[in-house]
Amino acid sequence: MGAGLSYAVVTPARDEADNLRRLAPCIVAQTVLPTAWVIVDNGSSDGTLELATELGREHGWVHATSIQGAEGAVRGGPVIRAFNAGVAVLQERPDVVVKLDADVSFEPTHFERLLEAFAADPALGIASGSLWELEDG
């Protein structure tokens, strides 16, 4: 399972409390759990940091941290700063670091299959899953 590789997840989050409530069960249900899930709040006003802190109390491998956010929603730079801040707080460097948006969900074998892809091809530097959006139910 997971080809023996370790991984950590970093989720930059700004006003993502509702999305984190959907994402958290997906992460917790993984057949191969991450060594850490760092949720980096970057200026939320909707309780994102509080929810991330609560998730950390429930699961010792979940960590909440925050950085100063930009004025209003801005693409690009703030997300990269939040990701880098999350990587910086990882206590151990895993084999794979995942940058995961908060507004996704996936099946329990998602990361197991991605780790198998990395194990099968040591030259692989980046991997992803397929995106499917549910419309009209």
Side-chain angles (χ1 to χ4, degrees), residues 9-57:
V9 176
V10 177
T11 300
R14 182 182 176 104
D15 294 330
E16 298 279 11
D18 288 342
N19 288 327
L20 285 174
R21 284 185 186 91
R22 184 182 69 238
L23 175 59
C26 294
I27 300 251
V28 170
Q30 289 302 294
T31 53
V32 177
L33 289 174
T35 57
W37 179 22
V38 181
I39 303 167
V40 184
D41 179 83
N42 61 344
S44 296
S45 61
D46 71 344
T48 294
L49 182 59
E50 293 79 7
L51 176 59
T53 301
E54 178 60 31
L55 289 169
R57 283 193 283 269

Side-chain angles (χ1 to χ4, degrees), residues 34-103:
T35 57
W37 179 22
V38 181
I39 303 167
V40 184
D41 179 83
N42 61 344
S44 296
S45 61
D46 71 344
T48 294
L49 182 59
E50 293 79 7
L51 176 59
T53 301
E54 178 60 31
L55 289 169
R57 283 193 283 269
E58 293 174 18
H59 308 283
W61 44 272
V62 178
H63 309 283
T65 189
S66 64
I67 63 171
Q68 184 171 347
E71 297 289 328
V74 178
R75 296 182 141 250
V79 173
I80 298 304
R81 284 191 294 281
F83 174 74
N84 287 337
V87 171
V89 302
L90 291 174
Q91 294 179 355
E92 295 179 16
R93 194 59 59 139
D95 297 309
V96 176
V97 176
V98 176
K99 187 255 180 211
L100 183 66
D101 291 345
D103 61 348

